[in-house]
Amino acid sequence: MTARNTTAPRRQPLGRERIIDETWALAADRGLAAVTMRAVADRLGVTPMALYRHVGDKQGLLDGLVERLLGEIRLPDPDLPWPDRLAQLAQGIRAVARAHPDLFPLLFARSAITEPARRPREAAYSALREAGLDQTHVERAERMLSTFVLGFASSEAAGRFEHIDADAEFAYATDALRKVLVP
Amino acid sequence: MTARNTTAPRRQPLGRERIIDETWALAADRGLAAVTMRAVADRLGVTPMALYRHVGDKQGLLDGLVERLLGEIRLPDPDLPWPDRLAQLAQGIRAVARAHPDLFPLLFARSAITEPARRPREAAYSALREAGLDQTHVERAERMLSTFVLGFASSEAAGRFEHIDADAEFAYATDALRKVLVP
DNA sequence: ACCTGAACACCGTTCAAGT
DNA sequence: ACCTGAACACCGTTCAAGT
């Protein structure tokens, strides 16, 4: 509420990177609801209006969070056999959902086609190609797997699998799905 | 913006049912973003404060929308064989997602355990029991199927499967999933 | 080019008061 | 019991102005 950074006014120049950094930090310690143009500006010791030049608008701020969220997904070790790579990627996505339960739903609204979603998707493609699928089947299998994994992770983050052995169930289901998609 | 219903002041008594009716209508023709305590009150010719006694708070309004959303799911014809019942239920869920794309994500945040989610879930249970699964496997299969169907429907509503034959892909994936879950 | 100040048109919610 | 009026503490965003 009171002005911040009055003793240390603008060390670095403002810019998208620094704004998203602070947005991410704010979301991490106060939750998604606390992410407002005003609050982010406050943390940067700047007027809300100053942000508009760099991030467009509020949605631009959220896009920044989606980017970071996707960047947080640990990519699988490329030396592992392909089934392990798929499993590791899926676990990486679940881990992000658990670490950022309130941010995770943002992935459902705007994801997939955007650039930052490419790296995890390519990791899945690579594993599925190595499994022997041709390109059309690789793409379809990736869509079905990611749909299930995102759905599962969202459900988990929302507490839908509260009293259930989610680890066992997830392992079982992804294994079964994989067997169907990769005959 | 201007006062409504000034010529026809409060015909019926205010109450949760009537409030949620109007909320649903508002969401249908102006979108989820237009659903505010003030706008709903305005449509009812009443002060925003009047709503609090009946719906608790803003979240109570959204819970009402979730109820209606679940109520919109067409339940399968009980005379059909179980695989068709499952398919019909899944299509019913997709249909709701397509009819209310901006409301549908609400289902992910708060669903499953709540009472209004019971009817579609019971329909799935019934089909899976008829397929010969015991109760533990019925519940697990339902969780996995609903996770996939909700994820697929959300993705579709968000436009993730824009240039893809979603019908074919959905049929293929749910069929495959069913074969795995119901051996 | 980049930031500020003031303003506009909103929000959800509390609280005391009216009937 | 049920609703209102006024107020509080916020929002995102526009616009003209400053440097």
Side-chain angles (χ1 to χ4, degrees):
Chain A
M1 311 305 147
T2 62
R4 269 180 100 275
N5 285 355
T6 45
T7 52
R10 273 165 278 103
R11 293 105 51 171
Q12 312 159 46
L14 202 53
R16 191 181 126 87
E17 207 67 7
R18 218 157 80 77
I19 292 173
I20 304 299
D21 282 349
E22 210 65 49
T23 306
W24 179 258
L26 174 61
D29 60 58
R30 298 254 189 281
L32 182 59
V35 174
T36 67
M37 299 297 280
R38 290 169 135 98
V40 171
D42 214 50
R43 282 174 80 109
L44 289 160
V46 107
T47 269
M49 303 309 101
L51 307 180
Y52 281 78
R53 177 171 315 271
H54 303 283
V55 297
D57 58 5
K58 173 81 184 282
Q59 188 55 66
L61 229 50
L62 300 183
D63 287 346
L65 292 182
V66 169
E67 258 173 58
R68 291 285 210 274
L69 222 35
L70 290 166
E72 288 267 300
I73 298 171
R74 198 193 197 289
L75 296 179
D77 179 349
D79 294 331
L80 289 174
W82 69 265
D84 299 316
R85 298 219 300 281
L86 278 186
Q88 216 172 67
L89 179 59
Q91 293 297 355
I93 292 170
R94 274 181 78 204
V96 171
R98 273 194 299 248
H100 309 282
D102 62 330
L103 263 41
F104 199 77
L106 291 175
L107 282 187
F108 247 114
R110 31 188 55 239
S111 139
I113 323 153
T114 69
E115 167 59 26
R118 233 196 52 202
R119 288 177 38 145
R121 189 173 55 243
E122 287 293 341
Y125 283 176
S126 148
L128 292 165
R129 262 194 301 263
E130 197 174 305
L133 297 188
D134 63 42
Q135 190 57 23
T136 5
H137 288 83
V138 160
E139 289 175 15
R140 183 175 72 176
E142 189 279 332
R143 278 192 295 274
M144 298 301 95
L145 282 170
S146 65
T147 294
F148 183 81
V149 171
L150 283 179
F152 191 97
S154 291
S155 295
E156 213 181 355
R160 239 185 96 199
F161 300 145
E162 206 98 88
H163 298 297
I164 284 148
D165 186 350
D167 287 314
E169 201 135 313
F170 185 73
Y172 168 79
T174 48
D175 206 62
L177 254 183
R178 183 167 53 70
K179 277 183 189 132
V180 170
L181 294 168
V182 188
Chain B
M1 306 310 145
T2 62
R4 268 177 103 276
N5 285 357
T6 45
T7 53
R10 273 164 278 103
R11 294 106 48 173
Q12 314 158 46
L14 202 54
R16 189 181 126 88
E17 207 68 5
R18 219 158 77 77
I19 292 172
I20 303 299
D21 282 350
E22 210 63 51
T23 306
W24 179 258
L26 174 61
D29 61 58
R30 298 254 188 282
L32 182 59
V35 175
T36 67
M37 300 296 281
R38 289 169 135 98
V40 171
D42 214 49
R43 282 174 81 109
L44 290 160
V46 106
T47 270
M49 303 309 100
L51 307 180
Y52 281 79
R53 179 170 313 270
H54 303 283
V55 297
D57 57 5
K58 172 80 184 282
Q59 188 56 63
L61 229 50
L62 300 183
D63 287 346
L65 292 181
V66 169
E67 258 173 59
R68 291 286 209 274
L69 224 33
L70 290 166
E72 288 267 301
I73 298 171
R74 198 195 199 288
L75 296 179
D77 178 349
D79 295 330
L80 289 174
W82 70 264
D84 299 317
R85 298 218 302 281
L86 278 186
Q88 217 173 65
L89 179 59
Q91 293 298 353
I93 293 170
R94 274 181 79 203
V96 172
R98 272 193 298 248
H100 310 282
D102 61 332
L103 263 40
F104 199 78
L106 291 175
L107 282 188
F108 247 116
R110 30 188 56 237
S111 139
I113 322 153
T114 69
E115 167 58 27
R118 233 198 50 201
R119 289 176 38 142
R121 189 174 55 243
E122 287 294 340
Y125 283 176
S126 149
L128 291 165
R129 262 193 300 266
E130 198 174 305
L133 298 187
D134 63 41
Q135 190 57 23
T136 6
H137 287 84
V138 161
E139 289 176 13
R140 183 175 72 176
E142 190 278 334
R143 279 193 294 275
M144 298 302 96
L145 282 170
S146 65
T147 294
F148 182 81
V149 172
L150 284 178
F152 192 98
S154 292
S155 295
E156 214 180 355
R160 238 185 97 200
F161 300 145
E162 205 98 90
H163 298 297
I164 284 149
D165 186 349
D167 287 314
E169 201 135 314
F170 184 74
Y172 168 79
T174 47
D175 205 61
L177 253 182
R178 182 169 54 69
K179 277 182 190 135
V180 170
L181 294 169
V182 188

